[in-house]
Each structure stands twice: as structure tokens, then as C-alpha cells.
Amino acid sequence: MPVRSVHDRTELADLLARHPALYAYQLGDLDDFFWPYTTWYRLADAVALVYHGGTVPTLLALHPADGTDQLADLLRELAPLLPAHFEAHLPPGAETALRARFTGHDHGPHLKMALTDPALLATARPAGDVLTRADLPELTKLYATAYPDNWFDPRMLDTGHYVGLRRDGELVAVAGVHVWSPVYRVAALGNVTTHPTARGAGLATAAVAALCHRLRASVDHVTLNVRTDNAAARAVYARLGFTVVARYAEHTFTARRT
């Protein structure tokens, strides 16, 4: 069975909705907000997405544990069609299917977590104000200081799902989204940070809790990605009711010279 390009959102949604927490990013990218920046491929039940909306293309190719052989076949067949340089989110070990054509840099193991016990959100005393485009200069300044290597798309402020807290009139903590789709009922948290001078007071935790309360009015699945070795963040998310749903690794690939 050959790899084929897929342009039918209904077909993709039916397939991805079998595991919405695992595929939250992909489901969100079916939304009109992201769809024009996507290219999709399928082999049997394995799906790969190349997202072109950032500075570097990103390959998202995940699969439940019982489908790893399908995914490996998809990646091997897809390799000649991939960009010369791209980032990738793959299940552990899946990167070997691309090694014949690409050299890779491993950014370490990560976890996908999903909000499974929302009652715990109240324990964080949710707080924060919704940020808008008017707050972009202040938000950009905060990220430059507190989270300089994050990936932030200013368009996401238009979703109304960025929450910030201020001290003495200065923005010092924020929680936002990488993906929000009321159509496909999924969201993925992202760009969560606190100014170095304000850490340890639970501000980002309060902002995440407030954001999750807002999101649950429009989505069924609130998810996030976190590095496995980020013990502090993992502990915060666990206290807020998130549990691990999958493990994956992040990579950067560059085509081998021929």
C-alpha cells in the first residue's frame, strides 16, 4: 500500500479522533486557522503532518504503541518527500526510519499530558487576565527574558486564550495555547512562563488553572507537551489534574549530502 497525500479533513478527523489526547495538535491543525499551513500523508492508519507555519517545517508523526510498524513504513516511504531541514515529533525509536536520508539531532524525551481530573484546577486558585494584541509588546518582552527559545505565534492572541498576571503593573507570568479548536474540541497549552524575579510564587500555576477553566467551555480535551526531565513543570501539571498519555521525542533533521 503506497503513501498517499490526504486533503479530506473529514477523513483525517475521523482517524485522529480515535486518540484525541495523542493527536490534539493534529486535530487542532485541521482548523481553518492552521489548515493552510499543513500537508498530510497517510499509510493505512498511520498519519504524518508537515506543518509549515513556523520558521522551520515540523513533522508530526505519532501513533499508538500497537501501530509502530505502520508508522515506520510511512516514514521510510515519506522520507524522499520531506524538506531538507525540519523538526520532528516522533515516538521513541521511530527516528531510525529516517536515518538513511537524514542526519538528526535529538532534543530529548518528552511527554504528552492531558487534563483528566479538572476538579484539581480549583486547588491552584485560578487567576489572571485575558491578554490581547494590545499586550503583544509586553508579552514579547517577557518571553525575551523568561523564555527566549520558545515558539510563539502572535496570531494565537486572537483566540482569547492567553492569560497573564501582573505585579506592580508589569506582566510577569503567562499561560497560552499552541492549538485551540472549538470545531474539533481540542486545545494544547503552550508558552507558559514566569519572569525570573517572580518565580516560586505559583503565578504560572494560577494562570494555567485559569486558562484551563476558560478552555473547558469550548473543548473536550486540554493537553500539553513537556520535557521528561522538567520535573518542576511535571509536578505542577500533575497537581492540576494532568496525566501522561504518551511519550515521544523531539528531533531536528537535515538531509545527508549525496
Side-chain angles (χ1 to χ4, degrees), residues 193-210:
T193 195
T194 304
H195 194 281
T197 62
R199 289 174 181 166
L203 299 181
T205 301
V208 169

Side-chain angles (χ1 to χ4, degrees), residues 7-85:
H7 306 280
D8 184 338
R9 278 190 270 193
T10 300
E11 174 186 344
L12 291 166
D14 289 344
L15 187 61
L16 298 169
R18 299 175 189 177
H19 303 280
L22 175 65
Y23 292 127
Y25 273 79
Q26 290 92 323
L27 282 165
D29 286 344
L30 295 175
D31 198 281
D32 287 347
F33 194 82
F34 300 103
W35 177 256
Y37 304 98
T38 63
T39 306
W40 300 81
Y41 303 93
R42 178 179 181 180
L43 177 65
D45 285 344
V47 176
L49 157 66
V50 180
Y51 181 74
H52 303 278
T55 55
V56 177
T58 300
L59 169 68
L60 302 181
L62 303 170
H63 210 53
D66 59 357
T68 53
D69 290 342
Q70 281 186 5
L71 182 62
D73 290 341
L74 170 60
L75 291 173
R76 280 191 289 269
E77 295 292 327
L78 185 59
L81 305 178
L82 292 172
H85 182 72

Side-chain angles (χ1 to χ4, degrees), residues 83-236:
H85 182 72
F86 62 96
E87 297 179 351
H89 294 187
L90 304 172
E95 71 279 4
T96 58
L98 298 173
R99 294 299 190 196
R101 287 182 174 268
F102 297 91
T103 60
H105 176 70
D106 184 358
H107 298 291
H110 288 65
L111 303 174
K112 286 190 171 291
M113 303 183 76
L115 182 61
T116 55
D117 190 357
L120 293 178
L121 294 172
T123 64
R125 297 183 179 180
D129 299 317
V130 175
L131 304 180
T132 69
R133 286 273 184 165
D135 300 298
L136 181 57
E138 213 177 349
L139 183 57
T140 302
K141 179 182 177 183
L142 174 61
Y143 283 141
T145 301
Y147 198 177
D149 58 346
N150 76 319
W151 184 84
F152 170 60
D153 182 348
R155 296 188 311 147
M156 297 309 295
L157 285 169
D158 299 335
T159 66
H161 292 298
Y162 266 71
V163 172
L165 288 97
R166 288 180 167 82
R167 275 186 173 176
D168 300 323
E170 179 182 358
L171 184 66
V172 293
V174 63
V177 290
H178 285 314
V179 164
W180 171 67
S181 174
V183 175
Y184 297 99
R185 308 291 295 180
V186 294
L189 304 186
N191 295 322
V192 179
T193 195
T194 304
H195 194 281
T197 62
R199 289 174 181 166
L203 299 181
T205 301
V208 169
L211 176 58
C212 288
H213 277 298
R214 291 183 56 82
L215 290 169
R216 292 185 66 239
S218 60
V219 307
D220 300 320
H221 302 278
V222 180
T223 68
L224 59 89
N225 296 341
V226 62
R227 284 185 61 95
T228 303
D229 61 6
N230 191 344
R234 290 176 59 184
V236 167

